[in-house]
Amino acid sequence: MKSGFTYREVCPGVLHITDPLGVHMTLLVGREKALLFDTGYGVGNLLSFIGSLTDLPLTTVLSHGHHDHAMGAMHFPSVRMLAEDLPVFRKYTGRGQRERILRQAGLKAQAREQYLSAAISEPDALEEDCFYLDGLSARVLRVPGHTPGSIALLVPERELLLLGDSWNRETWLFFPESLPVRTYAASFRFLMSHPFKKALAPHVEETVDREYLLQFERGLNEAGFAEAKPAIIPGHEHIQVRAFEPCPGARLVFRA
Ligand SMILES: [Zn+2]
């Protein structure tokens, strides 16, 4: 049976997975252990899909508490996330959000009911600074901005950064739980202070080069914030936002 999940191996032991609704997550497979970064919308049986890719002991870590990364936690006995994002997780994994997701998912009646009623355990507090998988490691980088408890992961052995929602082609900072744009900019500069050559983002299919993210970083400045124009984000029309392009092809959207 088709699982609805697909993946591509970006480099040895690093799998960029796409869930049935199109959001990405990353599986890191070391020699002794595996780590899953994010869990997608929770539509489809993610745990059995991961089981088809690796049988190593698995740790699951959430980049932050939004539904499109965290709802899939319903398939796992436990996941970890920074405690700062627990209020976000509680707000975004309830029934109302599940009903909104189901409008895009096209599930059959029984699967719909299961999805709506599935228990989801609260994430355990993420306290590790680094996960060692033997041959691969994942260093936790705290990047408050998109949400207070957002993290990225640095995989030094592959010179790779896993961005979480701290960067996408359109980076969103307009949620009530988002922090001020200058706080985000400081977090982004902190990310860029680490050694990596390539990056993966959860809403971008292709691998992103460091050089491009450096251009984006250079655009995060007072002149850019001042030139940001009012914008309308479909599905979030009730929020007053401003937007600008820190570099061509990437947009930053923040609360007006
Ligand atoms: Zn998010």
Side-chain angles (χ1 to χ4, degrees):
M1 201 180 115
K2 269 188 72 188
S3 70
F5 294 92
T6 58
Y7 75 94
R8 98 188 145 85
E9 188 163 14
V10 172
C11 49
V14 179
L15 278 55
H16 196 44
I17 296 171
T18 309
D19 98 341
L21 294 184
V23 73
H24 305 286
M25 59 200 97
T26 308
L27 180 66
L28 301 175
V29 185
R31 286 189 290 263
E32 295 282 335
K33 295 178 184 172
L35 184 148
L36 178 65
F37 189 46
D38 279 348
T39 60
Y41 286 93
V43 172
N45 193 333
L46 177 60
L47 188 58
S48 83
F49 179 70
I50 298 297
S52 74
L53 301 174
T54 180
D55 53 9
L56 293 174
L58 180 75
T59 303
T60 303
V61 176
L62 303 179
S63 62
H64 64 299
H66 283 154
H67 55 284
D68 48 336
H69 309 265
M71 197 76 91
M74 66 170 61
H75 299 290
F76 297 84
S78 68
V79 301
R80 291 178 218 192
M81 188 187 72
L82 282 190
E84 288 92 323
D85 249 34
L86 270 179
V88 179
F89 178 89
R90 291 181 193 128
K91 178 175 164 188
Y92 283 86
T93 53
R95 183 163 180 117
Q97 195 61 258
R98 294 184 197 201
E99 284 171 348
R100 278 192 282 280
I101 293 169
L102 282 177
R103 277 179 225 138
Q104 325 164 37
L107 294 182
K108 297 212 166 68
Q110 192 189 354
R112 288 175 66 88
E113 209 33 60
Q114 272 177 9
Y115 184 78
L116 286 174
S117 60
I120 187 163
S121 19
E122 288 227 327
D124 298 325
L126 172 65
E127 282 162 0
E128 291 82 352
D129 293 324
C130 190
F131 293 91
Y132 298 96
L133 312 176
D134 191 5
L136 278 186
S137 59
R139 192 170 148 204
V140 176
L141 304 179
R142 292 172 176 246
V143 280
H146 177 70
T147 65
S150 287
I151 61 163
L153 293 181
L154 181 70
V155 185
E157 297 84 356
R158 299 291 179 270
E159 298 178 295
L160 178 74
L161 183 68
L162 309 181
L163 286 153
D165 267 357
S166 295
W167 188 86
N168 283 292
R169 289 277 164 208
E170 186 161 292
T171 302
W172 285 0
L173 303 176
F174 58 75
F175 299 103
E177 61 272 18
S178 297
L179 300 180
V181 66
R182 290 168 186 81
T183 306
Y184 165 80
S187 288
F188 196 82
R189 284 193 287 272
F190 168 71
L191 274 186
M192 296 306 297
S193 73
H194 293 85
F196 68 90
K197 289 186 176 158
K198 303 269 182 193
L200 290 171
H203 299 285
V204 181
E205 168 58 38
E206 69 276 14
T207 308
V208 184
D209 289 334
R210 179 186 183 84
E211 293 312 310
Y212 185 72
L213 295 175
L214 282 169
Q215 276 185 49
F216 182 86
E217 181 192 22
R218 284 193 287 274
L220 294 178
N221 55 45
E222 292 302 323
F225 305 149
E227 80 174 27
K229 301 274 185 301
I232 292 176
I233 304 298
H236 302 274
E237 295 84 353
H238 59 292
I239 309 178
Q240 293 204 328
V241 305
R242 301 176 75 83
F244 75 108
E245 288 197 350
C247 67
R251 201 157 85 121
L252 186 69
V253 188
F254 57 97
R255 266 199 310 279

